[in-house]
Amino acid sequence: MTTGVDLGVPATQAIRSDEDVVRVRQLVRTTAVAVKLSLVDQTKLVTAASELARNTLIYGGGGTAEVITVEDGRRRGVRIVFADQGPGIPDLDRAFTDGFTTGGGLGLGLSGARRLVDDFDIWTVVGEGTRITVTKWSR
């Protein structure tokens, strides 16, 4: 795990426990502050990261979160890639339906996380795992 933020250099955090989910939140917050995201955008990104890290742990059996700063020529942002080698998501449309849950929660994890970030991309194959990439840009 990398605790500091070196802009442009990815920091990877293993996700194997609840404590690791907290570490992901801390790393994302530190990185969001470093790229000068607004307090509101920091909170949105940290909330999305927390949901996705928890999903990586619970449904994917653990994995990693890679956090990196990005630029598109006009603005800076934070990109996070969550990856696991779990069972995959068999029905993505259903998984993105508000209220759908397989774990007894509120069912707002994936759909809620998608609404909190600017860019959201998901790759999943049943039996191989899931990779979700999210980006939050400065305003």
Side-chain angles (χ1 to χ4, degrees), residues 13-18 20-21 52-65 82-87 128-130:
Q13 170 64 55
I15 303 171
R16 295 183 299 264
S17 67
D18 288 336
D20 291 335
V21 172
L52 296 172
R54 185 150 304 285
N55 283 359
T56 300
L57 177 62
I58 294 170
Y59 303 111
T64 59
F82 297 89
D84 67 60
Q85 295 179 341
E128 291 185 26
T130 302

Side-chain angles (χ1 to χ4, degrees), residues 25-43:
R25 289 176 57 95
Q26 293 167 338
L27 177 59
V28 169
R29 169 83 63 198
T30 301
T31 307
V33 168
V35 301
K36 298 183 180 11
L37 291 184
S38 71
L39 183 57
V40 169
D41 285 343
Q42 290 173 35
T43 302

Side-chain angles (χ1 to χ4, degrees), residues 81-102:
V81 179
F82 297 89
D84 67 60
Q85 295 179 341
I89 303 170
D91 187 344
L92 269 179
D93 289 336
R94 195 162 177 218
F96 277 105
T97 302
D98 283 346
F100 175 76
T101 180
T102 59

Side-chain angles (χ1 to χ4, degrees), residues 51-133:
E51 282 294 320
L52 296 172
R54 185 150 304 285
N55 283 359
T56 300
L57 177 62
I58 294 170
Y59 303 111
T64 59
E66 181 182 77
V67 181
I68 188 167
T69 60
V70 291
E71 293 187 46
D72 73 353
R74 299 176 301 135
R75 58 197 175 162
R76 295 171 69 189
V78 179
R79 179 166 295 144
I80 313 164
V81 179
F82 297 89
D84 67 60
Q85 295 179 341
I89 303 170
D91 187 344
L92 269 179
D93 289 336
R94 195 162 177 218
F96 277 105
T97 302
D98 283 346
F100 175 76
T101 180
T102 59
L106 296 175
L108 298 174
L110 287 179
S111 61
R114 181 169 57 181
R115 284 190 296 271
L116 292 170
V117 298
D118 299 314
D119 301 325
F120 186 103
D121 182 64
I122 186 166
W123 170 91
T124 187
V125 174
V126 173
E128 291 185 26
T130 302
R131 184 176 58 248
I132 297 175
T133 304

